[in-house]
Amino acid sequence: MIQRTISILGSTGSIGTQTLDVAESCGIRVAALTANHNIDLLEQQARIFKPVLVAAADMTAAAALAQRLSDTEIRVMGGQEGILGAASIPEADTVVTALVGISGLEPTLAAIDRGKRIALANKETLVCAGPLVMARAREKGAEIVPVDSEHSAIFQCLQGSGHKEVKRILLTASGGPFFGKTAAELENVTPAHALKHPNWSMGAKVTIDSATLMNKGLEFLEAMSLFDVPPEKIQILVHRESILHSAVEYCDQSVIAQLGSPDMRLPIQYALSWPERVPGPANPLDLFSCKALTFAQPDMETFRCLALAIRSAKEGKTAPAILNGANEIAVAKFLAGEISFLDIARVVEYALETVPREEADSLEAIRRADRLAREAAEACCAQR
Ligand code: MG
């Protein structure tokens, strides 16, 4: 049992549905659920978990949902107001932020302002506004516990240790579906190819980001904020088997790693049960069935998105927000068949080269960087 009441922002996505698996298995109460427009699934979830509130970001979907749930006591809201309502609902002590992209930023801040624990599955929030979000969380006493499998691993490896003792973070990457390929071989990759991930089942945005290795770049930025480390203290290791989920190297040369089967329900559950551990639904790891654990350097010449992300990490200011905004557009255009796979990095690079930097010290500066990056990316896509 986990004594928590949660609100899930993005309950119909991959993280959201797996969070509900954990909730069912661990006796976690559910106060609110939100989705964009998948009201068929949202209605089903609402009838099973009986939250106080459900919200759909799409107003038309919300109206239809209200109609469908009119035989229940469940409150239905729509639009950004509904998402913010779910983020700040008094009944929940924990908010699982499983929204995609920078849309997760404001709801996450709303939950932080209520002092709730954030089970953070929306990495773009920390990529774009890491220092701002972490400072606000400290000020409001809101715990931020990562759900991303690598960051959960690092968080687990850091338990009981001091920040000063950390020498390096070893951030693992599966390498994605195109590991070992050359740029020439990637020129004609289609969305269908890129959507097949070897180890993890995830949403479309993060699956494409995994194929370009942008996901690892975003995770690099996420780790800098979560664990307060500079870029020099993060080493990326390609680890094809996705068994060792990341590690921490300490000043005495000890390396502490977390291993487990590639099952997101484990990091989701830990974000909810921390600092305790409880039995849950995740698949066990059978080390005898693991043939070998291998580690390699990432190929940043072929997977240029990763190099661009690390460049933006070293530069700081609004560079990561620009990188992220341009990437969100580029991935959407690739999925729509409007640009090629290799164009994703070209579009992101164009935005990084053309959008001016600012200090990332206010929400306004971050929003401006995001907007300008999207405009630059759209313009770049239009020429392709
Ligand atoms: Mg991850």
Side-chain angles (χ1 to χ4, degrees), residues 43-86:
E43 181 193 357
Q44 266 182 39
Q45 293 177 338
R47 291 192 184 277
I48 296 169
F49 290 93
K50 304 188 170 39
V52 180
L53 170 72
V54 294
D58 182 279
M59 291 304 274
T60 317
L65 184 65
Q67 193 70 42
R68 292 196 198 180
L69 289 174
S70 57
D71 63 321
T72 71
E73 299 287 294
I74 301 168
R75 220 167 102 221
V76 179
M77 290 177 75
Q80 178 73 353
E81 198 192 336
I83 308 300
L84 292 172

Side-chain angles (χ1 to χ4, degrees), residues 123 148-151 215-216 219:
K123 63 192 77 173
D148 210 343
S149 61
E150 294 81 356
H151 303 76
N215 183 55
K216 210 46 56 180
E219 290 184 354

Side-chain angles (χ1 to χ4, degrees), residues 87-88 95 105-118 120 125-126 132-144:
S88 48
V95 176
L105 177 56
E106 280 176 64
T108 303
L109 288 172
I112 287 173
D113 285 345
R114 301 293 191 292
K116 299 187 190 300
R117 174 180 295 187
I118 309 296
L120 186 93
T125 288
L126 285 188
L132 202 73
V133 170
M134 295 306 286
R136 182 88 72 97
R138 271 191 299 277
E139 182 195 324
K140 304 285 181 182
E143 297 161 339
I144 299 196

Side-chain angles (χ1 to χ4, degrees), residues 4 12 36 49 62 110 131 289 309 328:
R4 288 206 165 262
T12 57
N36 281 329
F49 290 93
S289 70
E328 287 193 31

